[in-house]
């Protein structure tokens, strides 16, 4: 892990204290930075996640890795009761300042503070790759979901077009950190985020891991040419 006067970034071993501290450092401008770096696509990805979950009014949905709660707020538009959980206290505090109506609480994806089968649906957006044991996190998500409940993982993935994939990887490793320096409160963190995206498994490999963690009927849908993928599954 490297440290600078502006903040710090986690290493790819994804130590929970380092990851939490890194996100504490980007919390102040996290939502703005994401919108700038994704060219505004983050909004459509959140809407697609909500649609993929098929939420009904009155259902309970858990948003893990919720950060400032912008994704949790989107889920609540379905009429479901949406609660967000995140490891970073800084992100939660930032979210509560701007979204006081959104239920947000501290929670580790590997040890969620909920009873078995508490939720009709669960989701984790752009956070599974930051957990040091993603397979255990997928099992923990299954634990808190009722049988027949749904999972959607929204995560950066592998663009399907080879030419576009080359351009995208160049953007990740060169342009993204440079752009982050102009808008982020901790630009060093975005070096780690770019590295973690490049190291993440592709669509088929992640689908296999979801299935091995106690989920059935696993399928995925590419968004933005595979820059992001939505993996859907049902609790067996």
């Amino acid at each position: 892990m490297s440290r600078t006067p502006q903040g710090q970034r986690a290493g790819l071993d994804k130590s929970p204290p380092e990851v939490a501290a890194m996100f504490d450092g980007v919390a102040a401008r996290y939502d703005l930075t994401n919108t700038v770096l994704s060219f505004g696509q983050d909004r459509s990805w959140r809407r697609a996640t909500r649609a993929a979950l098929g939420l009904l009014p009155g259902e309970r949905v858990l948003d893990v890795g919720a950060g400032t709660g912008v994704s949790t707020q989107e889920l609540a538009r379905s009429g479901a009761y949406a609660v967000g959980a995140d490891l970073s206290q800084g992100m939660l505090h930032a979210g509560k300042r701007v979204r006081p109506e959104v239920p947000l609480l501290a929670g580790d994806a590997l040890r969620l503070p909920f009873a078995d089968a508490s939720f009709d649906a669960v989701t984790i957006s752009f956070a599974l790759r930051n957990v040091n044991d993603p397979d255990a996190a997928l099992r923990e998500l299954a634990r808190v979901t009722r049988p027949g409940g749904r999972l959607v993982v929204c995560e950066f993935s592998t663009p399907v077009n080879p030419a576009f994939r080359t351009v995208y990887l160049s953007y990740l490793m060169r342009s993204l950190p440079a752009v982050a320096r102009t808008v982020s409160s901790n630009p060093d963190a975005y070096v780690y985020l770019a590295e973690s995206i490049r190291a993440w498994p592709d669509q088929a490999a992640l689908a296999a891991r979801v299935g091995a963690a106690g989920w059935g009927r696993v399928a995925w849908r590419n968004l933005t040419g595979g820059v992001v993928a939505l993996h859907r599954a049902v609790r067996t």
Side-chain angles (χ1 to χ4, degrees):
M1 178 183 66
S2 65
R3 297 176 182 271
T4 73
Q6 291 76 33
Q8 64 184 57
R9 64 183 176 99
L12 288 179
D13 60 341
K14 301 170 188 175
S15 160
E18 290 184 4
V19 169
M22 182 190 72
F23 279 101
D24 288 346
V26 300
R29 305 185 73 183
Y30 184 72
D31 293 336
L32 171 63
T33 304
N34 283 349
T35 297
V36 171
L37 294 178
S38 69
F39 303 99
Q41 291 297 301
D42 58 323
R43 300 183 183 98
S44 65
W45 297 337
R46 287 193 292 271
R47 291 193 297 268
T49 299
R50 173 170 56 82
L53 283 164
L55 297 167
L56 299 173
E59 287 192 314
R60 291 170 54 86
V61 57
L62 173 63
D63 183 19
V64 177
T68 66
V70 64
S71 54
T72 317
Q73 186 179 56
E74 178 65 41
L75 297 176
R77 292 196 172 104
S78 66
Y81 175 74
V83 58
D86 200 275
L87 188 65
S88 165
Q89 292 285 349
M91 296 286 275
L92 295 171
H93 291 323
K96 288 174 181 177
R97 282 196 299 271
V98 296
R99 300 179 187 89
E101 77 285 1
V102 176
L104 295 173
L105 53 85
D108 185 338
L110 298 176
R111 294 178 297 277
L112 293 169
F114 302 104
D116 295 357
S118 294
F119 293 93
D120 300 290
V122 293
T123 185
I124 182 167
S125 294
F126 307 111
L128 186 60
R129 75 180 192 284
N130 298 320
V131 180
N132 64 355
D133 190 342
D135 301 307
L138 288 166
R139 293 192 296 271
E140 180 69 351
L141 290 170
R143 180 188 67 78
V144 300
T145 306
R146 66 167 175 79
R150 293 94 67 200
L151 164 74
V152 170
V153 176
C154 179
E155 188 54 87
F156 290 110
S157 196
T158 304
V160 294
N161 179 280
F164 177 50
R165 183 163 61 245
T166 299
V167 172
Y168 171 67
L169 290 174
S170 177
Y171 169 72
L172 274 183
M173 304 313 298
R174 297 180 183 178
S175 300
L176 185 148
V179 173
R181 281 194 290 273
T182 69
V183 291
S184 174
S185 52
N186 179 13
D188 277 353
Y190 287 85
V191 176
Y192 157 79
L193 292 172
E195 292 170 347
S196 70
I197 293 168
R198 187 174 63 172
W200 188 244
D202 66 12
Q203 291 88 327
L206 180 56
R209 294 172 74 165
V210 172
W215 297 93
R217 293 163 52 189
V218 182
W220 74 83
R221 172 192 170 201
N222 289 318
L223 303 177
T224 319
V227 169
V228 167
L230 294 181
H231 281 72
R232 306 181 306 278
V234 174
R235 175 73 164 91
T236 58

